[in-house]
Amino acid sequence: MYDLLKEVEDVFPNASGQSYLSFHDKEMFFLTWSVMLGGLSSVFGDPGYSQRAIASDAKSVFQGYLMGGICWWIVPACLGSSAGLACRALLLNPASITYPNALTDSEVNSGLPVIYGMAAIFGKSGAAAGLVMLFMSVTSATSAELIAFSSVTTYDVYRTYIKPDATGKQLVNAAHISVVGFSLFMAVLSVVFNYIGVTVGWLLSFIGIILSPEVSAVTMTLFWSKMSKKALLIGAPLGTLTGVGCWLGSTYVYGGHIINKSTVMTSEATFIGNITALASTPIYIVILSYLLPDEVPFDLSHFRSDIKMGDDADQEESEAAVVDEAEKKLLHKQAWWAVGINLFILLGCYVIIPTALYGSDHDLSKSSFSGLIIVFLIWLLLAALYIIFLPLWQGRESLAYVFGHLIRLKFPDNPNIPLATVVGSPEESSIEEIQHTEGEKNSKFL
């Protein structure tokens, strides 16, 4: 790989004029930071993540998201580095999909280098594997977004503003309608984007300009009780408008005094738009909160007890919605740990190490390049082992219970008893508790 990249550099030089084996490339840095800010904002405000956190046990959320994020990070890093660089390194080889030409800008912005690289190495099976992986990724993300959107529209819109006394059945129907509606909306929007030429690369650079203000909005909602309702409703949109304005203004400066679909993708302009949208929002919210304060300060603690459950919620679900004092202390401690670890990762992985490599201004040696790949491979292997085997170990008791009954074709004596109660520890599943649950279920049925 190292030698091939050296060879192809003479025939197909980098558009920025820098070596493929050097980190001294400002275009790469601005693009990376723009995508990072876009990913931060899209994940930070995604209700799918918060809903999973709320539905999980407080003790497992911190470890799950932290380790999940570390394991996830290496997947696009390895995939982009291996298949993407392979696509570039094999441009002089007849196995290349575009041989003897380089990839066009539209192909690069559409995310095709990974597919082309796998096809060049493994043939049609490689391209098929890449498409299957892409399909699974898209369907998985779409499934999560459908659930998140249906929950928001059902509980935060339908029950809050349209029908506060909605029954459980009506809430389910509203969720079904929102899923179908959002599915059609996403399909139409994707067709429109494809028709007008909006690529994946364009979206990744642009999305943070629109969504970054929600990072401050969510954070200050959780940790700053003085934020007023008007400050939130005015400050976040102002942050977006500031980002868009700075983005277009920077496009005019760095894009040759021309603003069109191509020049707005200028790396400096997209980064300026992303960072100003992120940084200006907390300033607006703080100023407006003091200028337009609420008569009664917002108290997030009300949501710990004043939760309105559906009429079809059982006792177990109602009890799970209440956060006890021990969990409050644990969540408070984990919040500070999360802030510290994320700042360490942000400054280390995105600022200190990359800028140090940028400042070195020379190509990686063959040994340092090999060392980088080896670190990636070790990281990837450990991540794969963690995400595959740890869930199996954590769910070993439930799996043993299920497979044991499947092999012996044995059914539970009472199928209404929750599985967690049956396979839990002796302290959690005493005979009295099982009998109480059974009697409660039977009385509801009668």
Side-chain angles (χ1 to χ4, degrees):
M1 175 74 80
Y2 185 89
D3 295 333
L4 288 173
L5 288 172
K6 281 286 190 182
E7 293 176 8
V8 78
E9 189 177 308
D10 297 330
V11 182
F12 298 105
N14 194 344
S16 64
Q18 301 298 325
S19 169
Y20 294 125
L21 296 166
S22 170
F23 279 82
H24 193 78
D25 189 343
K26 70 174 184 178
E27 293 286 330
M28 176 183 68
F29 274 89
F30 285 130
L31 176 61
T32 301
W33 287 335
S34 295
V35 173
M36 182 268 291
L37 292 174
L40 168 70
S41 60
S42 60
V43 171
F44 212 95
D46 188 344
Y49 289 90
S50 58
Q51 288 169 9
R52 292 192 191 105
I54 294 171
S56 303
D57 182 77
K59 299 176 182 178
S60 60
V61 173
F62 175 71
Q63 178 188 356
Y65 275 115
L66 177 64
M67 296 304 297
I70 293 175
C71 291
W72 174 89
W73 190 90
I74 195 60
V75 175
C78 275
L79 192 63
S81 299
S82 58
L85 285 177
C87 178
R88 177 65 61 177
L90 294 174
L91 286 178
L92 302 179
N93 193 300
S96 173
I97 303 299
T98 60
Y99 179 83
N101 302 314
L103 278 71
T104 63
D105 291 339
S106 61
E107 289 174 321
V108 173
N109 291 328
S110 298
L112 290 176
V114 171
I115 304 297
Y116 284 1
M118 296 180 70
I121 297 173
F122 301 107
K124 293 182 178 180
S125 60
L131 291 175
V132 168
M133 178 180 59
L134 179 62
F135 176 80
M136 295 176 66
S137 174
V138 171
T139 52
S140 174
T142 302
S143 172
E145 295 311 310
L146 286 173
I147 296 172
F149 182 82
S150 65
S151 298
V152 170
T153 54
T154 301
Y155 294 99
D156 298 343
V157 178
Y158 176 72
R159 192 176 69 172
T160 303
Y161 300 106
I162 300 176
K163 195 173 180 59
D165 57 344
T167 63
K169 184 177 181 180
Q170 290 173 327
L171 294 174
V172 171
N173 291 334
H176 290 170
I177 294 172
S178 63
V179 166
V180 174
F182 190 55
S183 301
L184 295 175
F185 172 75
M186 283 194 297
V188 172
L189 186 63
S190 63
V191 172
V192 172
F193 280 167
N194 186 66
Y195 180 77
I196 64 178
V198 174
T199 62
V200 175
W202 199 97
L203 283 175
L204 288 175
S205 299
F206 168 75
I207 194 171
I209 301 173
I210 302 298
L211 298 181
S212 287
E214 69 187 8
V215 175
S216 300
V218 173
T219 303
M220 299 177 84
T221 300
L222 294 173
F223 298 106
W224 195 51
S225 61
K226 293 183 179 180
M227 183 182 67
S228 65
K229 182 188 298 184
K230 293 180 180 178
L232 176 62
L233 295 176
I234 299 174
L238 277 180
T240 296
L241 292 176
T242 302
V244 171
C246 293
W247 170 49
L248 295 178
S250 302
T251 298
Y252 184 79
V253 173
Y254 293 100
H257 303 294
I258 298 174
I259 299 178
N260 55 34
K261 187 177 68 175
S262 300
T263 58
V264 293
M265 281 294 293
T266 305
S267 59
E268 293 92 343
T270 56
F271 172 70
I272 290 173
N274 275 276
I275 198 67
T276 51
L278 177 69
S280 63
T281 304
I283 299 175
Y284 291 137
I285 291 178
V286 171
I287 294 175
L288 290 171
S289 294
Y290 283 108
L291 294 177
L292 304 170
D294 288 337
E295 294 182 3
V296 179
F298 173 70
D299 188 0
L300 188 65
S301 63
H302 289 313
F303 289 102
R304 292 172 179 161
S305 56
D306 300 342
I307 299 176
K308 184 180 179 181
M309 306 291 291
D311 63 350
D312 56 347
D314 56 26
Q315 182 180 356
E316 183 181 5
E317 292 171 337
S318 300
E319 293 176 352
V322 179
V323 181
D324 57 29
E325 290 298 325
E327 288 182 328
K328 290 180 185 178
K329 293 180 179 179
L330 178 63
L331 290 172
H332 181 75
K333 180 180 179 181
Q334 290 176 346
W336 284 107
W337 271 103
V339 170
I341 293 173
N342 278 278
L343 284 176
F344 176 80
I345 294 175
L346 172 67
L347 295 176
C349 295
Y350 286 98
V351 179
I352 297 176
I353 295 177
T355 51
L357 291 171
Y358 178 86
S360 63
D361 193 16
H362 68 271
D363 291 1
L364 295 174
S365 63
K366 184 175 290 189
S367 58
S368 58
F369 181 80
S370 300
L372 177 65
I373 301 302
I374 290 172
V375 170
F376 272 19
L377 288 174
I378 294 174
W379 190 346
L380 183 65
L381 179 61
L382 293 177
L385 294 174
Y386 178 86
I387 62 177
I388 291 173
F389 291 108
L390 183 64
L392 295 176
W393 173 255
Q394 291 177 330
R396 62 191 182 280
E397 294 180 358
S398 298
L399 291 173
Y401 175 83
V402 172
F403 283 110
H405 281 69
L406 287 176
I407 293 173
R408 297 192 299 269
L409 294 178
K410 179 182 177 182
F411 296 93
D413 297 331
N414 183 3
N416 290 323
I417 297 178
L419 179 61
T421 304
V422 176
V423 300
S425 62
E427 293 79 10
E428 297 173 340
S429 57
S430 63
I431 298 298
E432 291 79 11
E433 288 177 343
I434 295 176
Q435 290 175 345
H436 173 72
T437 305
E438 181 179 357
E440 192 176 61
K441 294 287 185 178
N442 290 336
S443 63
K444 281 187 176 182
F445 177 77
L446 295 174

